[in-house]
Amino acid sequence: MDSDDSARFDDSAALIVIDVQRGFDDPSWGARDNPDAEANIGRLVAAWTDASRPIVLVRHDSRSPGSPLAAGSPGNALKDVVADVPHDLFVTKQVNSAFHGQPDLDGWLRARGIRQLVICGIQTNMCVETTARLGGNLGFDVTVPLDATHTFDLEGPGGIRLSASELARATAVNLQGGGFARVVTTDEVLSA
């Protein structure tokens, strides 16, 4: 990541769309933030398609019994906003990072000389953040348009509970403050 906070994307910059799946509409997840996430993801996908830049779709195939994201369940399917998007690579995973899925994302990106990644999708503080952190660790120039992500309220140790918006803010601080990624808005990506 360069020190300039503005992003400039070359023609090979890859859009990585994480887990935009119907199962995340299940009420069992609880309260979510950012009702505009899917619309912003759609704007990014349209821009990448129009520019003939590479698009990677990622799907979480949960192994947890009863998960709304279980492979073969209706919730495993991609949401309409990305379901029919022409893409260059489709990655399936069972863990938080798209870099630990199949086929090998890192190898695919490097074989094509792709250095810039724009990462969006669901959940902000889980699979989006984990993929962005690992991408940064692997030396990619990572940008996360935070308003093209969303997450859910979450409880941690000792009953500590953070709202989805608090978790999204923490992700922004973790990623940019920690030097993993540049955190921007969808408008900033589209105007770059």
Side-chain angles (χ1 to χ4, degrees), residues 42-103:
R43 292 171 58 215
L44 289 167
V45 165
W48 250 251
T49 300
D50 289 349
S52 298
R53 287 178 171 151
I55 297 174
V56 176
L57 297 181
V58 181
R59 184 185 70 210
H60 192 86
D61 291 346
S62 179
R63 294 180 182 161
S64 300
S67 170
L69 304 175
S73 73
N76 185 254
L78 297 178
K79 291 185 179 195
D80 290 347
V81 69
V82 298
D84 296 323
V85 167
H87 53 278
D88 301 271
L89 182 68
F90 191 89
V91 175
T92 59
K93 63 180 182 57
Q94 287 83 42
V95 295
N96 300 103
S97 177
F99 285 100
H100 291 299
Q102 292 297 323

Side-chain angles (χ1 to χ4, degrees), residues 4-25:
D4 182 359
D5 281 344
S6 65
R8 289 171 196 82
F9 303 107
D10 60 39
D11 289 340
S12 71
L15 178 65
I16 302 180
V17 184
I18 307 280
D19 303 348
V20 182
Q21 293 168 252
R22 293 180 181 183
F24 282 117
D25 292 337

